[in-house]
Amino acid sequence: MKVLVASLYELGHQPLSSLALAGALASAGHETEVFDYDRAGSGDVLSSLQGHDALVISVPMHTASAIALGLIQSAYAQHPELPVALFGLYAVNLAEADLPPTVGLLASGETISDILDWIDGLCRTGAESAGGPRSVTRNREMRALEPPALDRSLLPPLSAYAKLSVGGVERLTGYTEATRGCMHSCSHCPVPTVYQGRIRINKPEWVLADIDQLVSMGAAHITFGDPDFFNAPPHSMRILKAMHATYPDLTFDATIKVEHLLEHSHLLPELAELGCAFIVSAFEHTSDEVLERLRKGHTRSQMAEAVRVCRAVGIELRPSLLPFTPWTTPADLVGLFEFVQDQELISNVDPIQFTIRLLVPAGSLLLEDPQTRALFARSHEDALSYSWKSPWQELDGLQRALADHLPGWLESLETWEIFDQMYRLTCSRLGFVAKDFDYSAELDRSVPKLTESWFCCAEPAETMIIAPVQLPRRAVAL
Ligand code: SF4
């Protein structure tokens, strides 16, 4: 069978799950192509469908799901017999969307075996199975499967993807994962809705072979995209030590939550020695009440402590934020800016983080509690998520204003200048007196970062999606 695996948008990195699926399909004897829609320039996924027997679309996050809905309808109009499957974290969220009958599988979790079974079914029954009953699967099989070999030559070169930027110098960057899933249950996060507090370990040999391949393609930096790199510290450290022994100049970044940074702070000196360029940490907020609602497992003071222990070993944190939630008060928002300034994190935070609004997708843990559930309404414009309004109308207006101003600011201002504009706009719209911060410490600071901002659990801003084919813009790239 000839299968097209389409990746739509994966935060600027190569689509690892699509590659793994392609490897499994190839091992099973299927002819497979991977189409990276976001990096294909003027390429057209619809014309690429010609001659394929099935289309499998990766939807690891909300923006990709929104793009997928448009693509599926266009594919159905042009190829009404073509069987379609969707896989990834958000696939099961599409169960209530208005999908064509040709969509036969929505698979989340550990999806490869479900997709192989679906393809086997198509081989047995041919196009007759398109239009049959739709399967919706949440496979939580955590047993280590024999992982498929990855053929990264199926994708555009690393130069087409996000790179590490250090002091104005860019380094080719490869993306891999040491684990999948997460052991925590933050209420706003899509990962626990599928993985329910469990992780799957990728075999170290497999991860290291992937890193070998990435280095041979020119990677000088590796992003570990695990939801949390310290869900399994011995496993992660083992991989890092082996990587560093082979490639002593290779640097890396990873995502680690505040709680883990403090719990495993004894590992931080070694992390720095092994080449850690920076750590992304989901701070989300500085209001302890909002942090409690999001079940983050940390407090405002613990975030400050995490900054301190990381800096003590020379590692800078790059916090991700979720400022706009139904529980955020005007004072909370002003306090968040002041915390970032006070902790000397202005150059560490991508400005778009200050505009992020809570996304409540179908299946969100936030919908489980009846009292919290009452805050959210099914969105009429977006079948994929729930809408909400702040009890402080001025906060909704401020979020839109910040998001609207940001593209212009990004074109002409430095990060600290954007911060200042955002802070002053926030204070003036919310009736607070803005402090005159001293930004001199930020003028010469260069904090390592990726050339595209990293965020996922956010309502996509209009600037990120273009109708009608809905290709994500690079407008948010920093
Ligand atoms: S936000 Fe991070 S730590 Fe929390 S459940 Fe999601 S992946 Fe895990």
Side-chain angles (χ1 to χ4, degrees):
M1 182 160 272
K2 196 167 174 193
V3 184
L4 184 69
V5 180
S7 164
L8 302 179
Y9 177 58
E10 308 226 5
L11 305 161
H13 58 71
Q14 283 194 327
L16 189 67
S17 300
S18 296
L19 271 187
L21 174 61
L25 287 165
S27 300
H30 302 291
E31 197 180 329
T32 311
E33 276 179 49
V34 179
F35 189 97
D36 188 346
Y37 187 49
D38 183 35
R39 302 292 139 154
S42 59
D44 178 359
V45 69
L46 293 173
S47 55
S48 304
L49 282 174
Q50 204 62 46
H52 285 86
D53 304 307
L55 169 64
V56 185
I57 304 173
S58 167
V59 285
M61 42 97 70
H62 183 271
T63 304
S65 308
I67 299 166
L69 286 183
L71 172 62
I72 293 166
Q73 295 298 348
S74 303
Y76 183 53
Q78 292 188 20
H79 305 274
E81 305 291 325
L82 185 75
V84 177
L86 291 106
F87 75 105
L89 217 46
Y90 277 75
V92 293
N93 292 348
L94 296 169
E96 291 174 33
D98 184 17
L99 300 174
T102 44
V103 177
L105 175 67
L106 302 174
S108 291
E110 299 305 298
T111 55
I112 287 180
S113 55
D114 293 333
I115 297 168
L116 289 175
D117 288 349
W118 179 73
I119 294 279
D120 282 350
L122 293 178
C123 290
R124 283 195 302 276
T125 58
E128 288 166 30
S129 39
R134 178 173 301 147
S135 300
V136 180
T137 63
R138 280 184 185 80
N139 193 332
R140 302 184 185 104
E141 176 54 76
M142 294 295 127
R143 201 165 30 91
L145 302 171
E146 194 50 49
L150 302 178
D151 178 2
R152 289 185 177 268
S153 67
L154 292 172
L155 290 168
L158 293 183
S159 55
Y161 293 89
K163 303 170 196 71
L164 176 75
S165 170
V166 193
V169 177
E170 293 186 353
R171 308 180 81 181
L172 289 185
T173 294
Y175 174 98
T176 194
E177 293 169 358
T179 59
R180 295 160 58 80
C182 183
M183 294 167 78
H184 299 270
S185 297
C186 304
S187 63
H188 64 104
C189 179
V191 176
T193 66
V194 172
Y195 284 89
Q196 296 190 326
R198 302 172 72 193
I199 59 167
R200 168 160 164 214
I201 303 268
N202 286 333
K203 289 183 176 174
E205 310 79 49
W206 180 85
V207 181
L208 292 166
D210 190 32
I211 291 169
D212 286 341
Q213 190 176 179
L214 289 165
V215 172
S216 74
M217 294 165 67
H221 178 83
I222 299 294
T223 290
F224 287 98
D226 311 43
D228 196 291
F229 197 58
F230 271 0
N231 269 323
H235 170 67
S236 301
M237 295 306 287
R238 181 178 162 195
I239 288 171
L240 286 182
K241 284 180 203 167
M243 181 180 94
H244 186 69
T246 312
Y247 306 109
D249 295 329
L250 196 61
T251 56
F252 70 91
D253 70 90
T255 298
I256 304 179
K257 75 199 299 280
V258 171
E259 192 180 348
H260 285 167
L261 288 170
L262 299 182
E263 185 183 344
H264 306 294
S265 59
H266 61 285
L267 295 176
L268 295 175
E270 197 172 7
L271 221 54
E273 281 165 23
L274 295 172
C276 183
F278 66 90
I279 292 172
V280 174
S281 193
F283 280 20
E284 315 296 23
H285 223 285
T286 49
S287 152
D288 282 343
E289 190 195 329
V290 176
L291 290 169
E292 179 79 28
R293 298 272 191 178
L294 299 177
R295 302 209 303 251
K296 291 306 297 177
H298 65 248
T299 62
R300 178 187 175 105
S301 61
Q302 287 172 325
M303 292 186 293
E305 178 63 4
V307 172
R308 192 190 66 75
V309 296
C310 287
R311 279 207 174 123
V313 299
I315 298 176
E316 285 294 321
L317 291 182
R318 293 200 69 88
S320 62
L321 303 178
L322 183 43
F324 292 92
T325 75
W327 310 284
T328 304
T329 67
D332 289 340
L333 198 63
V334 174
L336 187 147
F337 279 96
E338 293 177 352
F339 176 90
V340 168
Q341 193 275 338
D342 187 48
Q343 295 298 318
E344 298 183 3
L345 289 169
I346 292 172
S347 300
N348 302 48
V349 180
D350 290 327
I352 196 164
Q353 298 289 341
F354 292 101
T355 73
I356 301 293
R357 196 171 191 276
L358 173 69
L359 171 72
V360 185
S364 169
L365 297 183
L366 287 165
L367 303 170
E368 288 181 350
D369 171 62
Q371 267 189 324
T372 311
R373 168 77 183 77
L375 297 168
F376 308 113
R378 196 79 207 213
S379 171
H380 294 302
E381 297 118 43
D382 174 4
L384 304 174
S385 63
Y386 286 72
S387 63
W388 58 269
K389 286 192 175 124
S390 170
W392 286 271
Q393 227 178 6
E394 60 270 39
L395 285 180
D396 289 338
L398 172 66
Q399 190 275 336
R400 283 192 296 275
L402 291 172
D404 288 348
H405 280 297
L406 184 59
W409 286 336
L410 286 170
E411 278 177 16
S412 55
L413 300 180
E414 298 293 329
T415 300
W416 68 268
E417 294 173 306
I418 299 174
F419 176 90
D420 190 56
Q421 293 284 343
M422 288 181 149
Y423 172 61
R424 289 185 184 284
L425 184 63
T426 297
C427 288
S428 80
R429 288 186 76 136
L430 301 182
F432 286 74
V433 178
K435 296 177 183 170
D436 284 320
F437 293 140
D438 175 6
Y439 292 111
S440 53
E442 301 292 335
L443 300 184
D444 297 321
R445 281 190 76 214
S446 172
V447 180
K449 65 176 185 179
L450 296 179
T451 50
E452 292 189 33
S453 301
W454 187 98
F455 62 96
C456 66
C457 304
E459 283 188 353
E462 283 172 20
T463 47
M464 293 163 60
I465 299 179
I466 299 173
V469 190
Q470 299 181 305
L471 184 70
R473 284 181 183 164
R474 314 283 199 280
V476 294
L478 299 170

